[in-house]
Amino acid sequence: SQTIHQWPATLVQPVGSPLSLECTVEGTSNPNLYWYRQAAGRGLQLLFYSVGIGQISSEVPQNLSASRPQDRQFILSSKKLLLSDSGFYLCAWKIFPGYTFGSGTRLTVV
Amino acid sequence: SQELEQSPQSLIVQEGKNLTINCTSSKTLYGLYWYKQKYGEGLIFLMMLQKGGEEKSHEKITAKLDEKKQQSSLHITASQPSHAGIYLCGADKGGGADGLTFGKGTHLIIQP
């Protein structure tokens, strides 16, 4: 079956600490993968997308980076978190007729 | 860049009543998606519309895309508590860019 996994579900990190969020999909090959952030008052914003291994497109300049080391793995990272990085992070996968989203990671930077 | 405006921002409806949520785009829509989100959870895909004048239904939810492809509406008939949540419209970015642009969402509360 085709599924998308995202972890952890919640994360509390101090300012200046590193970040790594992981997203994996099952039941497909060469998927288009996406990272979104949902912040209070700002709606759902596309951060990065990837159409293949090692291929990353950045939508918004910021303190975050993404990598795709394997076909079905998409990682969101930061070397030093800022307070403004707090939010709800969602991984998504393009599969007809729409995009399927993971269950999300609630990140609080303190 | 394309912007999606949803109205209303929030809506409180008595159980059993009908309601409509609107999504207006600043540019022509080439693919319009409706999602539902329970608070703190991921998005659940409802429907996707592509053609002008297209209408789709799923259970008691109907979505339409206008002929000019710049506005979509989501209509819920005989609302139930299970309909409560945040409704988001998203549009294909187009122009060779991948992914979706989203509206800020409509918070729907169903009163018993």
Side-chain angles (χ1 to χ4, degrees), chain B residues 61-81:
Chain B
I61 301 176
T62 300
K64 301 178 186 179
L65 182 62
D66 75 342
E67 290 288 345
K68 293 184 179 179
K69 294 173 63 174
Q70 283 201 265
Q71 189 170 35
S72 178
S73 61
L74 185 84
H75 184 77
I76 298 177
T77 303
S79 58
Q80 300 169 354

Side-chain angles (χ1 to χ4, degrees), chain A residues 32-109:
Chain A
N32 284 10
L33 298 172
Y34 309 81
W35 279 111
Y36 286 86
R37 178 171 62 198
Q38 191 174 36
R42 296 195 62 183
L44 199 59
Q45 185 181 38
L46 178 63
L47 302 176
F48 302 94
Y49 70 88
S50 172
V51 298
I53 295 174
Q55 299 180 62
I56 307 295
S57 295
S58 174
E59 288 291 301
V60 182
Q62 56 207 318
N63 185 41
L64 301 168
S65 62
S67 61
R68 187 158 172 184
Q70 299 179 38
D71 183 43
R72 287 170 284 181
Q73 183 184 35
F74 201 22
I75 297 172
L76 184 70
S77 305
S78 174
K79 292 182 179 178
K80 290 184 178 181
L81 284 169
L82 306 172
L83 286 174
S84 58
D85 291 324
S86 294
F88 191 51
Y89 289 82
L90 289 156
C91 178
W93 162 28
K94 189 173 187 177
I95 175 170
F96 184 83
Y99 293 71
T100 296
F101 284 78
S103 54
T105 295
R106 173 75 57 190
L107 171 66
T108 304
V109 183

